[in-house]
Amino acid sequence: MSKANEPQVGGARVKRGMAEMLKGGVIMDVVNVEQAKIAEDAGAVAVMALERVPADIRAQGGVSRMSDPDMIEKIQAAVSIPVMAKVRIGHFAEAQILQTLNVDYIDESEVLTPADYEHHIDKWNFTIPFVCGATNLGEALRRISEGAAMIRSKGEAGTGDVSNATTHMRKIGGEIRRLTSLREDELYVAAKELQAPYALVKEVAETGKLPVVLFTAGGIATPADASMMMQLGADGLFIGSGIFKSGDAAKRAAACVKATTYYTDAKIVADASRGLGEAMVGINVADIPVPHRLAERGW
Amino acid sequence: MKVGVLALQGDFREHLFALGECGVTGELVKSAEEISKIDALIIPGGESTTISKLAKSFGLFDLITKRIADGMPTYGSCAGMILVAKSILDPASGQETFGGIDMQVRRNAFGRQTESFEVDLEFKGISGAPLRGVFIRAPWVESSAPGVEILASMQVAGVSHPVAVSQGRVLATSFHPELTGDNRVHRYFLEELCKK
């Protein structure tokens, strides 16, 4: 039946579509098989396999790189939900490696040490889809023009401080709303100011949303954080250090999943917030010297 | 007729939009009260393990199972196909299904995301141009009982695998018509199954 036409892999629709399937869900950072299974049992829609969660990267310092392929493959073998993994900004060879490992999504992430301070990866060259961080609309559209099939607002990873995630979501949302209010002949200058391709700016102005799914990340640690980010317009959440740096990870993971689904129902979010034990201790973003802030990486 | 789209997780808004394009005002449902009031249900694409776990923890699982068994017209795409199958060949730990179609499905049957693809399909009962099937970590039907009608199939390594099936008032597709802007599968569901 399908002989006349060859299946087409790696097109924008299957890359962006994969992210559509994750909407309304929570993607959790995991560093080993046990954590991956806890995440899957709690209802995570995907896991991010990495060697150190952002809180530890921050604490331990040093150069942070793509994870060991063995470690990623063990996690792939242990769970049936999608497995994502991170590469350094601009490190296309790390991305080539992850593509051969058949991970489901690559995060070109500011949480790792950048490999290129000028260029991001040309993501159109890959069959595998990419998610990239952004702090504002222009940055999001530049990543999309490079082929990102999903965007996450950056927040400040590894802090447990949700304030930057809030700032970035409000910023992206506000800039989108502003575009929709402009006259068509004003979009040229808007594109110049956003430093983003005119065609994408025009598309956002017409549709009132990004052409790809928008998740939130960075500092989310409680069901209330999850609910707030969803109410601010996130399509879903990445939770990194917030789960496995807390007292009862399994319970907190399940609670964050529930709060993400029922984010408009404060009673359910309240119930999900009960008896979770110790939340991750956290660091106030304001106490981190600017050169050590991860959200500043990427341009 | 009130058509609900199960909104626990996944691309439920795309299904709602597709219903709208067919002239039907759908409704997102995620509570027992909402689910007991609908006349038909769409189960969207998403992560089948997540959707079934959320359905269980909020006491919706048995209700949906019973409503489908009682004859509520139901359409599931991708994760939704898995959830209306009688059984899963390789379930995640503790993963159960609502049932509705007497079939066994294989999850992620075509492979991981790098193997996700688009292809033109012939769909029995839908005329005109071929349907563009968008398959994302998609399942296929591994085996089915005689009462299950096969509406579309894919050849993989010389073996034909059903990717769209129906039985009674339940429809399932491995692929995502809600991502293509082509609403013929939704129309088929509304015309052929909801009016049965």
Side-chain angles (χ1 to χ4, degrees), chain A residues 5 8 13-14 17-18 20-23 40-41 43-45 76 80-82 102 104 258 261-262, chain B residues 8-11 14 30 46-47 49-50 53-54 58 93 107 112-114 117-120 132 137 176:
Chain A
N5 68 112
Q8 182 207 347
R13 192 145 63 185
V14 296
M18 167 79 207
E20 300 282 349
M21 300 311 140
L22 302 173
K23 284 194 301 195
E40 183 173 51
D41 284 343
V45 287
Q76 286 176 306
S80 65
I81 56 177
N102 254 331
D104 295 294
K258 282 180 192 170
T261 293
Y262 292 94
Chain B
L8 294 174
Q9 190 272 319
D11 70 337
E14 282 65 25
K30 53 182 170 184
E47 272 307 309
T49 50
T50 305
K53 274 167 189 162
L54 281 165
F58 282 92
S93 70
R107 294 189 311 154
R112 290 183 178 274
Q113 173 59 17
T114 46
F117 62 96
E118 292 181 36
V119 75
D120 285 341
R132 193 66 176 164
R137 287 171 47 97
H176 296 280

Side-chain angles (χ1 to χ4, degrees), chain A residues 84-103:
Chain A
M84 302 181 166
K86 288 182 192 288
V87 300
R88 287 178 265 177
I89 289 174
H91 207 314
F92 52 85
E94 284 187 347
Q96 289 161 355
I97 292 169
L98 290 186
Q99 180 160 280
T100 69
L101 297 183
N102 254 331
V103 301

Side-chain angles (χ1 to χ4, degrees), chain B residues 8 15 17 24-25 51 57 85 103 114 130 132 159-160 165 173:
Chain B
L8 294 174
H15 277 287
F17 184 80
V24 172
T25 308
I51 295 173
S57 62
M103 63 177 173
T114 46
R132 193 66 176 164
V159 183
S160 178
V165 291
T173 63

Side-chain angles (χ1 to χ4, degrees), chain A residues 134-135 153-157 159 161-172 215-220 225 228-229 232 234 237-238 285 295:
Chain A
T135 58
S153 66
K154 282 180 183 170
E156 188 58 36
T159 59
D161 179 348
V162 82
S163 62
N164 274 24
T166 309
T167 305
H168 300 156
M169 278 308 291
R170 283 197 185 275
K171 177 95 174 155
I172 294 170
F215 270 47
T216 305
I220 296 156
D225 291 348
M228 178 163 158
M229 289 303 127
L232 284 174
L237 309 174
F238 284 86
V285 174

